Amino acid sequence: MPLPKVAIIGFPNVGKSTLVNRLTGSRETVVHEDAGVTRDRKELDADWNGRRFLLVDTGGVDAADRDDLAQAIQEQSRTALGEAAVAILVVDAKAGMRPGDHEIARELQRAQIPILVAANKIDGAGAIPDAAEFIQLGLGEAIPVSAVQGLGTGDLLDAVVAALPPRDDDEDRDDAVRLAVIGRPNVGKSSLVNRFLGEERVIVSDLAGTTRDSIDTRLEVSGRPVILVDTAGLRRRTKVAGTVDYYAQLRSETAAERADVALVVCDASEGVTSEDLRIAELSMKTGCATIVVLNKWDIGDTDIDDARARIEQKVRLRPRVLSASALTGRSVGRLLDESLRLADKAAERIATRDLNRFLSDIQALREPPAVRGRRLKMYYITQYETRPPRIAIQVSDRGLITRDYAYFLENRLRERFGLEGVPLVIDYRGRGSTRRRDSQPVADSPAGQGDPLPFPDPEKA
Ligand code: GDP
Ligand code: GDP
């Protein structure tokens, strides 16, 4: 059973985002002075006295606004209500009752779930009486809160937890694969996310910057829980600080850090750009299993083999490359399947026996390099960490490893164990002493950088 959902409903600017931040203790939601910034639906984990639930922040409900986007948000609110166990109607106690409040209240009464009213912007004890008038909404007494000051939020959370249905036993089990959809603006991230969800959870719109906000959404793929970590675009760092895009970009980078798998979406009709490559590289470096998605395949004339070759040439850490079309739905299911497979691969531990067989095979296949008559010997290989996999190889002398040979070994390792797209750290450890610090740096692997020696110490054995 998924976690119960608590829908946050209300007009724009009553303080819903600020309240969600307060209640989840997170900075996930972008709060900005512009009205209507929080347009997409977000689901955020919340925890109160050990009870976990999801707070669903909807866009503002504005029945009077016939603009397309407002209508889309209104529909989203209804969907959120349909799935919610409890709803919180947020009203602005400073502004007082407004005509639309009654309409929303009537709509909420029809939802047949417990409804709480949070009278927000009650910034001090003196303002508490301002909450009283909202009893007229017919939803019981309003709970006075100040999202900005953090006043009354504990009482609100108590009321939420009291209104939730009884706890489900496996609510706490969370083995969800965390998936981030990242990439430049307009490559089709939102469209792809929509395809994944099979419903209009993310608003796709031709307006610029619709996907400004972070979205954590849960879904199920082949019976397994998946969390879509973020759909905001990775923007260039050169954006002016203080703008919404700037915050959204910072959060996108964090999204890759929080994810197990990242889909780096590109526009196949434009080809793979250097910015796409930069994002793919960043994603792999943060430890995400990475798939470069050549989206818009329906209009793309990029040759996938060319694109692969270009990526292999430019990106040290090999991502997987797949094509898809969010528009037609082609290969979209495969992206999800492949994401799960990569997540499993990154979490898998390869048996030492198999790795060592690989090590002897590879030395037979291509003799390790030699300098002035001294040939590199590789004695032992083992995996000492997962997610991402970290592999240590004990060698005679780190100074003898060449970049070429390290690449060769890494690529063969990927092929043999199906690790394409999985970030991999290969750590070469010198036997006995590791005096030769001035040796040629081996690829990007932080070779010998302070991890505990995973080998039985030959000196002591
Ligand atoms: P939303 O559109 O409902 O998500 O509203 P926001 O969370 O973006 O808040 C709208 C404005 O109300 C922002 O300027 C907030 O700083 C302000 N606001 C939110 N909560 C409070 C509060 O408890 N007290 C006061 N004084 N202002 C608040
Ligand atoms: P985002 O900014 O990365 O989230 O991109 P959007 O999902 O908003 O898509 C940007 C534009 O590309 C929209 O006009 C989409 O309809 C269009 N688009 C997205 N995916 C595809 C696709 O697979 N094929 C085609 N032809 N257009 C697409």
Side-chain angles (χ1 to χ4, degrees), residues 175-180 221 224-227 229 258-263 284 287-291 320 322 334-350 383 385-389 417-423:
D175 51 359
V177 171
R178 306 182 70 90
L179 180 64
V221 180
R224 293 176 60 181
V226 171
I227 295 174
V229 168
R258 287 196 297 134
D260 303 310
V261 183
L263 297 177
M284 294 278 293
C288 272
T290 303
I291 303 175
R320 192 125 167 62
L322 294 173
R334 182 157 154 248
L335 290 181
L336 288 174
D337 292 341
E338 195 58 18
S339 298
L340 289 179
R341 195 186 68 79
L342 288 193
D344 291 342
K345 275 286 172 194
E348 192 178 275
R349 192 171 180 281
I350 307 168
Q383 180 178 351
E385 244 180 72
T386 59
R387 274 202 259 198
F417 298 102
L419 295 172
E420 199 191 346
V422 177

Tab-separated table of all heavy atoms in Angstrom, residues 175-180 221 224-227 229 258-263 284 287-291 320 322 334-350 383 385-389 417-423:
chain	number	residue	atom	x	y	z
A	175	ASP	N	11.415	0.577	-0.942
A	175	ASP	CA	12.532	0.158	-1.772
A	175	ASP	C	12.381	0.754	-3.165
A	175	ASP	O	12.781	0.175	-4.155
A	175	ASP	CB	12.605	-1.373	-1.833
A	175	ASP	CG	11.273	-2.003	-2.209
A	175	ASP	OD1	10.293	-1.243	-2.394
A	175	ASP	OD2	11.190	-3.234	-2.319
A	176	ALA	N	11.750	1.914	-3.198
A	176	ALA	CA	11.479	2.543	-4.484
A	176	ALA	C	12.769	2.922	-5.204
A	176	ALA	O	13.745	3.319	-4.589
A	176	ALA	CB	10.622	3.779	-4.274
A	177	VAL	N	12.755	2.771	-6.518
A	177	VAL	CA	13.851	3.239	-7.358
A	177	VAL	C	13.613	4.716	-7.628
A	177	VAL	O	12.518	5.122	-8.024
A	177	VAL	CB	13.884	2.466	-8.695
A	177	VAL	CG1	14.880	3.094	-9.664
A	177	VAL	CG2	14.237	1.006	-8.447
A	178	ARG	N	14.611	5.527	-7.366
A	178	ARG	CA	14.454	6.965	-7.557
A	178	ARG	C	14.971	7.356	-8.937
A	178	ARG	O	16.115	7.122	-9.268
A	178	ARG	CB	15.184	7.723	-6.448
A	178	ARG	CG	14.750	7.275	-5.049
A	178	ARG	CD	15.458	8.070	-3.975
A	178	ARG	NE	14.987	9.442	-3.955
A	178	ARG	CZ	13.953	9.849	-3.221
A	178	ARG	NH1	13.311	9.003	-2.466
A	178	ARG	NH2	13.572	11.103	-3.261
A	179	LEU	N	14.079	7.945	-9.700
A	179	LEU	CA	14.374	8.244	-11.097
A	179	LEU	C	14.271	9.752	-11.340
A	179	LEU	O	13.256	10.362	-11.015
A	179	LEU	CB	13.367	7.484	-11.970
A	179	LEU	CG	13.452	7.614	-13.484
A	179	LEU	CD1	14.754	7.035	-14.004
A	179	LEU	CD2	12.277	6.887	-14.140
A	180	ALA	N	15.328	10.333	-11.898
A	180	ALA	CA	15.295	11.760	-12.227
A	180	ALA	C	15.230	11.935	-13.741
A	180	ALA	O	15.916	11.238	-14.475
A	180	ALA	CB	16.532	12.465	-11.669
A	221	VAL	N	5.982	0.576	-11.614
A	221	VAL	CA	6.406	0.031	-12.893
A	221	VAL	C	6.615	-1.462	-12.698
A	221	VAL	O	7.424	-1.857	-11.863
A	221	VAL	CB	7.724	0.682	-13.374
A	221	VAL	CG1	8.160	0.093	-14.708
A	221	VAL	CG2	7.571	2.192	-13.469
A	224	ARG	N	6.692	-2.543	-9.236
A	224	ARG	CA	7.703	-1.990	-8.332
A	224	ARG	C	7.521	-0.491	-8.158
A	224	ARG	O	7.240	0.213	-9.111
A	224	ARG	CB	9.101	-2.271	-8.884
A	224	ARG	CG	9.437	-3.746	-8.877
A	224	ARG	CD	10.773	-3.987	-9.501
A	224	ARG	NE	11.858	-3.288	-8.799
A	224	ARG	CZ	13.121	-3.353	-9.193
A	224	ARG	NH1	13.451	-4.017	-10.266
A	224	ARG	NH2	14.047	-2.708	-8.516
A	225	PRO	N	7.716	-0.005	-6.913
A	225	PRO	CA	7.553	1.434	-6.702
A	225	PRO	C	8.703	2.237	-7.307
A	225	PRO	O	9.863	1.848	-7.192
A	225	PRO	CB	7.532	1.572	-5.177
A	225	PRO	CG	8.235	0.366	-4.662
A	225	PRO	CD	8.027	-0.725	-5.668
A	226	VAL	N	8.359	3.318	-7.971
A	226	VAL	CA	9.352	4.213	-8.565
A	226	VAL	C	8.996	5.625	-8.116
A	226	VAL	O	7.826	5.978	-8.052
A	226	VAL	CB	9.308	4.120	-10.115
A	226	VAL	CG1	10.166	5.196	-10.756
A	226	VAL	CG2	9.755	2.747	-10.599
A	227	ILE	N	10.001	6.402	-7.761
A	227	ILE	CA	9.751	7.806	-7.427
A	227	ILE	C	10.402	8.668	-8.498
A	227	ILE	O	11.599	8.561	-8.752
A	227	ILE	CB	10.337	8.167	-6.044
A	227	ILE	CG1	9.609	7.386	-4.952
A	227	ILE	CG2	10.225	9.672	-5.793
A	227	ILE	CD1	10.200	7.568	-3.581
A	229	VAL	N	11.902	11.824	-9.230
A	229	VAL	CA	12.484	12.774	-8.291
A	229	VAL	C	12.289	14.225	-8.696
A	229	VAL	O	11.994	15.080	-7.900
A	229	VAL	CB	13.977	12.476	-8.071
A	229	VAL	CG1	14.653	13.612	-7.340
A	229	VAL	CG2	14.136	11.198	-7.267
A	258	ARG	N	19.994	12.928	-5.652
A	258	ARG	CA	19.058	12.123	-4.858
A	258	ARG	C	18.558	10.889	-5.608
A	258	ARG	O	17.849	10.070	-5.040
A	258	ARG	CB	17.847	12.983	-4.469
A	258	ARG	CG	18.153	14.013	-3.401
A	258	ARG	CD	16.862	14.538	-2.805
A	258	ARG	NE	16.036	15.226	-3.771
A	258	ARG	CZ	14.740	15.038	-3.917
A	258	ARG	NH1	14.110	14.150	-3.178
A	258	ARG	NH2	14.060	15.721	-4.804
A	259	ALA	N	18.900	10.798	-6.904
A	259	ALA	CA	18.321	9.725	-7.715
A	259	ALA	C	19.255	8.522	-7.841
A	259	ALA	O	20.463	8.638	-7.676
A	259	ALA	CB	17.975	10.266	-9.094
A	260	ASP	N	18.668	7.377	-8.133
A	260	ASP	CA	19.453	6.182	-8.444
A	260	ASP	C	19.754	6.138	-9.941
A	260	ASP	O	20.802	5.680	-10.356
A	260	ASP	CB	18.664	4.910	-8.091
A	260	ASP	CG	18.251	4.876	-6.642
A	260	ASP	OD1	19.125	5.097	-5.784
A	260	ASP	OD2	17.057	4.648	-6.361
A	261	VAL	N	18.768	6.588	-10.722
A	261	VAL	CA	18.881	6.547	-12.178
A	261	VAL	C	18.474	7.908	-12.726
A	261	VAL	O	17.505	8.506	-12.244
A	261	VAL	CB	17.942	5.475	-12.782
A	261	VAL	CG1	18.115	5.385	-14.293
A	261	VAL	CG2	18.172	4.110	-12.147
A	262	ALA	N	19.204	8.408	-13.716
A	262	ALA	CA	18.803	9.653	-14.362
A	262	ALA	C	18.595	9.415	-15.854
A	262	ALA	O	19.377	8.720	-16.496
A	262	ALA	CB	19.862	10.732	-14.146
A	263	LEU	N	17.504	9.958	-16.364
A	263	LEU	CA	17.293	9.982	-17.800
A	263	LEU	C	17.696	11.376	-18.258
A	263	LEU	O	17.082	12.360	-17.864
A	263	LEU	CB	15.816	9.732	-18.132
A	263	LEU	CG	15.250	8.367	-17.730
A	263	LEU	CD1	13.765	8.291	-18.063
A	263	LEU	CD2	16.001	7.244	-18.431
A	284	MET	N	26.458	11.076	-14.240
A	284	MET	CA	27.260	9.895	-13.923
A	284	MET	C	28.187	10.187	-12.747
A	284	MET	O	28.406	9.338	-11.895
A	284	MET	CB	28.097	9.459	-15.128
A	284	MET	CG	27.328	8.964	-16.322
A	284	MET	SD	26.765	7.251	-16.341
A	284	MET	CE	28.122	6.194	-16.425
A	287	GLY	N	26.944	9.744	-9.406
A	287	GLY	CA	26.691	8.354	-9.025
A	287	GLY	C	25.376	7.796	-9.518
A	287	GLY	O	24.950	6.738	-9.084
A	288	CYS	N	24.721	8.520	-10.436
A	288	CYS	CA	23.473	8.024	-11.026
A	288	CYS	C	23.774	7.070	-12.173
A	288	CYS	O	24.611	7.374	-13.018
A	288	CYS	CB	22.684	9.179	-11.659
A	288	CYS	SG	21.597	10.003	-10.541
A	289	ALA	N	23.046	5.971	-12.237
A	289	ALA	CA	23.045	5.202	-13.462
A	289	ALA	C	22.367	6.106	-14.493
A	289	ALA	O	21.382	6.758	-14.184
A	289	ALA	CB	22.281	3.904	-13.283
A	290	THR	N	22.936	6.189	-15.702
A	290	THR	CA	22.475	7.225	-16.619
A	290	THR	C	22.102	6.692	-17.997
A	290	THR	O	22.848	5.912	-18.580
A	290	THR	CB	23.579	8.314	-16.775
A	290	THR	OG1	23.879	8.813	-15.471
A	290	THR	CG2	23.122	9.453	-17.664
A	291	ILE	N	20.946	7.124	-18.458
A	291	ILE	CA	20.524	6.805	-19.818
A	291	ILE	C	20.358	8.122	-20.573
A	291	ILE	O	19.621	9.000	-20.138
A	291	ILE	CB	19.180	6.044	-19.833
A	291	ILE	CG1	19.276	4.761	-18.995
A	291	ILE	CG2	18.751	5.735	-21.280
A	291	ILE	CD1	17.964	4.008	-18.847
A	320	ARG	N	24.250	4.913	-20.984
A	320	ARG	CA	23.521	4.116	-21.948
A	320	ARG	C	22.824	5.097	-22.881
A	320	ARG	O	22.487	6.205	-22.467
A	320	ARG	CB	22.492	3.289	-21.175
A	320	ARG	CG	21.849	2.223	-21.957
A	320	ARG	CD	22.017	0.881	-21.268
A	320	ARG	NE	21.115	-0.089	-21.884
A	320	ARG	CZ	21.181	-0.455	-23.154
A	320	ARG	NH1	22.096	0.071	-23.954
A	320	ARG	NH2	20.330	-1.328	-23.645
A	322	LEU	N	19.597	5.511	-25.577
A	322	LEU	CA	18.380	4.930	-26.150
A	322	LEU	C	17.578	6.015	-26.857
A	322	LEU	O	17.675	7.186	-26.511
A	322	LEU	CB	17.505	4.312	-25.044
A	322	LEU	CG	18.042	3.090	-24.290
A	322	LEU	CD1	17.110	2.745	-23.140
A	322	LEU	CD2	18.209	1.901	-25.218
A	334	ARG	N	10.121	1.017	-22.582
A	334	ARG	CA	11.455	0.447	-22.516
A	334	ARG	C	12.386	1.297	-21.642
A	334	ARG	O	13.267	0.776	-20.958
A	334	ARG	CB	11.997	0.348	-23.945
A	334	ARG	CG	13.356	-0.278	-24.024
A	334	ARG	CD	13.610	-0.855	-25.407
A	334	ARG	NE	15.037	-0.890	-25.675
A	334	ARG	CZ	15.624	-0.131	-26.592
A	334	ARG	NH1	14.919	0.701	-27.323
A	334	ARG	NH2	16.912	-0.216	-26.789
A	335	LEU	N	12.189	2.617	-21.672
A	335	LEU	CA	13.001	3.496	-20.838
A	335	LEU	C	12.827	3.154	-19.370
A	335	LEU	O	13.793	3.114	-18.599
A	335	LEU	CB	12.616	4.964	-21.056
A	335	LEU	CG	12.972	5.610	-22.388
A	335	LEU	CD1	12.525	7.065	-22.390
A	335	LEU	CD2	14.466	5.517	-22.636
A	336	LEU	N	11.572	2.914	-18.978
A	336	LEU	CA	11.306	2.580	-17.580
A	336	LEU	C	11.898	1.216	-17.225
A	336	LEU	O	12.521	1.060	-16.179
A	336	LEU	CB	9.796	2.599	-17.310
A	336	LEU	CG	9.153	3.992	-17.279
A	336	LEU	CD1	7.648	3.879	-17.155
A	336	LEU	CD2	9.718	4.822	-16.125
A	337	ASP	N	11.703	0.240	-18.114
A	337	ASP	CA	12.261	-1.094	-17.856
A	337	ASP	C	13.778	-1.030	-17.717
A	337	ASP	O	14.371	-1.635	-16.830
A	337	ASP	CB	11.914	-2.055	-19.014
A	337	ASP	CG	10.421	-2.337	-19.056
A	337	ASP	OD1	9.747	-2.106	-18.037
A	337	ASP	OD2	9.931	-2.791	-20.114
A	338	GLU	N	14.377	-0.274	-18.621
A	338	GLU	CA	15.828	-0.162	-18.623
A	338	GLU	C	16.322	0.582	-17.367
A	338	GLU	O	17.369	0.258	-16.820
A	338	GLU	CB	16.276	0.554	-19.903
A	338	GLU	CG	17.739	0.456	-20.245
A	338	GLU	CD	18.271	-0.969	-20.415
A	338	GLU	OE1	17.468	-1.908	-20.598
A	338	GLU	OE2	19.500	-1.128	-20.325
A	339	SER	N	15.536	1.568	-16.923
A	339	SER	CA	15.890	2.294	-15.700
A	339	SER	C	15.928	1.344	-14.510
A	339	SER	O	16.845	1.392	-13.687
A	339	SER	CB	14.878	3.404	-15.414
A	339	SER	OG	14.878	4.348	-16.459
A	340	LEU	N	14.917	0.479	-14.431
A	340	LEU	CA	14.869	-0.482	-13.325
A	340	LEU	C	16.045	-1.456	-13.409
A	340	LEU	O	16.666	-1.783	-12.405
A	340	LEU	CB	13.549	-1.270	-13.354
A	340	LEU	CG	12.298	-0.479	-12.967
A	340	LEU	CD1	11.069	-1.366	-13.054
A	340	LEU	CD2	12.438	0.081	-11.557
A	341	ARG	N	16.346	-1.882	-14.643
A	341	ARG	CA	17.446	-2.822	-14.814
A	341	ARG	C	18.771	-2.194	-14.358
A	341	ARG	O	19.556	-2.810	-13.654
A	341	ARG	CB	17.558	-3.260	-16.276
A	341	ARG	CG	18.431	-4.491	-16.474
A	341	ARG	CD	18.651	-4.819	-17.942
A	341	ARG	NE	19.470	-3.832	-18.632
A	341	ARG	CZ	20.799	-3.763	-18.548
A	341	ARG	NH1	21.457	-4.626	-17.813
A	341	ARG	NH2	21.470	-2.831	-19.195
A	342	LEU	N	18.987	-0.934	-14.752
A	342	LEU	CA	20.228	-0.255	-14.358
A	342	LEU	C	20.292	-0.047	-12.852
A	342	LEU	O	21.355	-0.177	-12.244
A	342	LEU	CB	20.375	1.086	-15.081
A	342	LEU	CG	20.715	1.051	-16.566
A	342	LEU	CD1	21.134	2.435	-17.041
A	342	LEU	CD2	21.818	0.051	-16.863
A	343	ALA	N	19.145	0.283	-12.250
A	343	ALA	CA	19.114	0.470	-10.794
A	343	ALA	C	19.519	-0.833	-10.110
A	343	ALA	O	20.297	-0.832	-9.152
A	343	ALA	CB	17.718	0.896	-10.344
A	344	ASP	N	19.020	-1.950	-10.635
A	344	ASP	CA	19.374	-3.254	-10.064
A	344	ASP	C	20.851	-3.561	-10.258
A	344	ASP	O	21.524	-4.063	-9.362
A	344	ASP	CB	18.541	-4.373	-10.710
A	344	ASP	CG	17.078	-4.286	-10.303
A	344	ASP	OD1	16.793	-3.601	-9.297
A	344	ASP	OD2	16.227	-4.895	-10.982
A	345	LYS	N	21.349	-3.223	-11.449
A	345	LYS	CA	22.756	-3.467	-11.748
A	345	LYS	C	23.661	-2.694	-10.796
A	345	LYS	O	24.677	-3.202	-10.331
A	345	LYS	CB	23.076	-3.054	-13.188
A	345	LYS	CG	22.763	-4.144	-14.199
A	345	LYS	CD	23.792	-5.243	-14.128
A	345	LYS	CE	23.406	-6.437	-14.979
A	345	LYS	NZ	24.241	-7.610	-14.632
A	346	ALA	N	23.283	-1.433	-10.550
A	346	ALA	CA	24.101	-0.579	-9.696
A	346	ALA	C	24.087	-1.071	-8.245
A	346	ALA	O	24.993	-0.787	-7.478
A	346	ALA	CB	23.614	0.870	-9.767
A	347	ALA	N	23.040	-1.815	-7.897
A	347	ALA	CA	22.904	-2.291	-6.518
A	347	ALA	C	23.450	-3.705	-6.338
A	347	ALA	O	23.518	-4.218	-5.236
A	347	ALA	CB	21.435	-2.252	-6.105
A	348	GLU	N	23.850	-4.317	-7.467
A	348	GLU	CA	24.266	-5.709	-7.439
A	348	GLU	C	25.727	-5.847	-7.002
A	348	GLU	O	26.541	-4.992	-7.288
A	348	GLU	CB	24.124	-6.244	-8.871
A	348	GLU	CG	24.216	-7.719	-9.048
A	348	GLU	CD	24.013	-8.065	-10.527
A	348	GLU	OE1	22.851	-8.202	-10.954
A	348	GLU	OE2	25.025	-8.156	-11.247
A	349	ARG	N	26.001	-6.926	-6.311
A	349	ARG	CA	27.399	-7.196	-5.986
A	349	ARG	C	27.873	-8.366	-6.826
A	349	ARG	O	27.288	-9.435	-6.804
A	349	ARG	CB	27.567	-7.489	-4.501
A	349	ARG	CG	29.016	-7.476	-4.088
A	349	ARG	CD	29.196	-7.539	-2.584
A	349	ARG	NE	30.625	-7.528	-2.275
A	349	ARG	CZ	31.405	-8.598	-2.372
A	349	ARG	NH1	30.903	-9.747	-2.764
A	349	ARG	NH2	32.687	-8.525	-2.085
A	350	ILE	N	28.950	-8.123	-7.588
A	350	ILE	CA	29.481	-9.181	-8.449
A	350	ILE	C	30.398	-10.070	-7.606
A	350	ILE	O	31.252	-9.568	-6.865
A	350	ILE	CB	30.273	-8.589	-9.638
A	350	ILE	CG1	29.414	-7.563	-10.385
A	350	ILE	CG2	30.739	-9.694	-10.590
A	350	ILE	CD1	30.194	-6.727	-11.387
A	383	GLN	N	34.847	-6.342	-5.514
A	383	GLN	CA	33.931	-5.204	-5.423
A	383	GLN	C	33.663	-4.940	-3.948
A	383	GLN	O	33.282	-5.843	-3.206
A	383	GLN	CB	32.624	-5.521	-6.152
A	383	GLN	CG	31.634	-4.361	-6.077
A	383	GLN	CD	30.347	-4.637	-6.830
A	383	GLN	OE1	30.222	-5.627	-7.550
A	383	GLN	NE2	29.374	-3.757	-6.637
A	385	GLU	N	31.868	-2.035	-2.771
A	385	GLU	CA	30.707	-1.189	-2.502
A	385	GLU	C	29.731	-1.285	-3.660
A	385	GLU	O	30.123	-1.574	-4.787
A	385	GLU	CB	31.141	0.273	-2.341
A	385	GLU	CG	30.887	0.841	-0.965
A	385	GLU	CD	31.348	2.291	-0.863
A	385	GLU	OE1	30.697	3.177	-1.450
A	385	GLU	OE2	32.379	2.505	-0.219
A	386	THR	N	28.445	-1.016	-3.375
A	386	THR	CA	27.454	-0.939	-4.446
A	386	THR	C	26.863	0.460	-4.464
A	386	THR	O	27.055	1.231	-3.538
A	386	THR	CB	26.308	-1.956	-4.225
A	386	THR	OG1	25.687	-1.680	-2.976
A	386	THR	CG2	26.819	-3.378	-4.236
A	387	ARG	N	26.099	0.747	-5.518
A	387	ARG	CA	25.368	2.010	-5.655
A	387	ARG	C	26.205	3.248	-5.410
A	387	ARG	O	25.961	3.962	-4.441
A	387	ARG	CB	24.167	2.013	-4.712
A	387	ARG	CG	22.967	1.354	-5.354
A	387	ARG	CD	21.720	1.810	-4.703
A	387	ARG	NE	21.254	0.800	-3.773
A	387	ARG	CZ	20.024	0.745	-3.313
A	387	ARG	NH1	19.169	1.662	-3.656
A	387	ARG	NH2	19.652	-0.173	-2.509
A	388	PRO	N	27.142	3.615	-6.224
A	388	PRO	CA	27.586	2.895	-7.414
A	388	PRO	C	28.594	1.804	-7.055
A	388	PRO	O	29.201	1.864	-5.989
A	388	PRO	CB	28.250	3.998	-8.235
A	388	PRO	CG	28.774	4.950	-7.227
A	388	PRO	CD	27.803	4.918	-6.100
A	389	PRO	N	28.797	0.871	-7.990
A	389	PRO	CA	29.770	-0.178	-7.726
A	389	PRO	C	31.176	0.399	-7.618
A	389	PRO	O	31.589	1.205	-8.453
A	389	PRO	CB	29.671	-1.080	-8.968
A	389	PRO	CG	28.411	-0.699	-9.641
A	389	PRO	CD	28.124	0.714	-9.294
A	417	PHE	N	29.848	-7.628	-17.528
A	417	PHE	CA	28.868	-7.683	-16.450
A	417	PHE	C	27.634	-6.802	-16.699
A	417	PHE	O	26.854	-6.537	-15.800
A	417	PHE	CB	29.529	-7.339	-15.106
A	417	PHE	CG	30.609	-8.321	-14.735
A	417	PHE	CD1	31.949	-8.003	-14.910
A	417	PHE	CD2	30.290	-9.592	-14.254
A	417	PHE	CE1	32.955	-8.921	-14.599
A	417	PHE	CE2	31.276	-10.515	-13.939
A	417	PHE	CZ	32.609	-10.177	-14.108
A	418	GLY	N	27.470	-6.350	-17.945
A	418	GLY	CA	26.283	-5.569	-18.307
A	418	GLY	C	26.179	-4.259	-17.551
A	418	GLY	O	25.109	-3.879	-17.089
A	419	LEU	N	27.296	-3.558	-17.412
A	419	LEU	CA	27.308	-2.345	-16.597
A	419	LEU	C	27.283	-1.051	-17.407
A	419	LEU	O	27.568	0.013	-16.890
A	419	LEU	CB	28.539	-2.349	-15.684
A	419	LEU	CG	28.560	-3.460	-14.631
A	419	LEU	CD1	29.903	-3.493	-13.916
A	419	LEU	CD2	27.431	-3.297	-13.634
A	420	GLU	N	26.922	-1.141	-18.676
A	420	GLU	CA	26.839	0.077	-19.472
A	420	GLU	C	25.793	1.001	-18.854
A	420	GLU	O	24.688	0.563	-18.544
A	420	GLU	CB	26.437	-0.262	-20.905
A	420	GLU	CG	26.758	0.847	-21.878
A	420	GLU	CD	26.120	0.621	-23.243
A	420	GLU	OE1	25.657	-0.503	-23.501
A	420	GLU	OE2	26.090	1.575	-24.020
A	421	GLY	N	26.164	2.255	-18.634
A	421	GLY	CA	25.232	3.198	-18.029
A	421	GLY	C	25.339	3.256	-16.512
A	421	GLY	O	24.784	4.146	-15.885
A	422	VAL	N	26.060	2.314	-15.942
A	422	VAL	CA	26.223	2.305	-14.485
A	422	VAL	C	27.552	2.979	-14.135
A	422	VAL	O	28.588	2.603	-14.670
A	422	VAL	CB	26.219	0.859	-13.933
A	422	VAL	CG1	26.465	0.843	-12.436
A	422	VAL	CG2	24.913	0.171	-14.275
A	423	PRO	N	27.517	4.002	-13.287
A	423	PRO	CA	28.792	4.616	-12.914
A	423	PRO	C	29.630	3.601	-12.145
A	423	PRO	O	29.089	2.811	-11.385
A	423	PRO	CB	28.384	5.780	-12.010
A	423	PRO	CG	27.007	5.481	-11.557
A	423	PRO	CD	26.386	4.590	-12.580
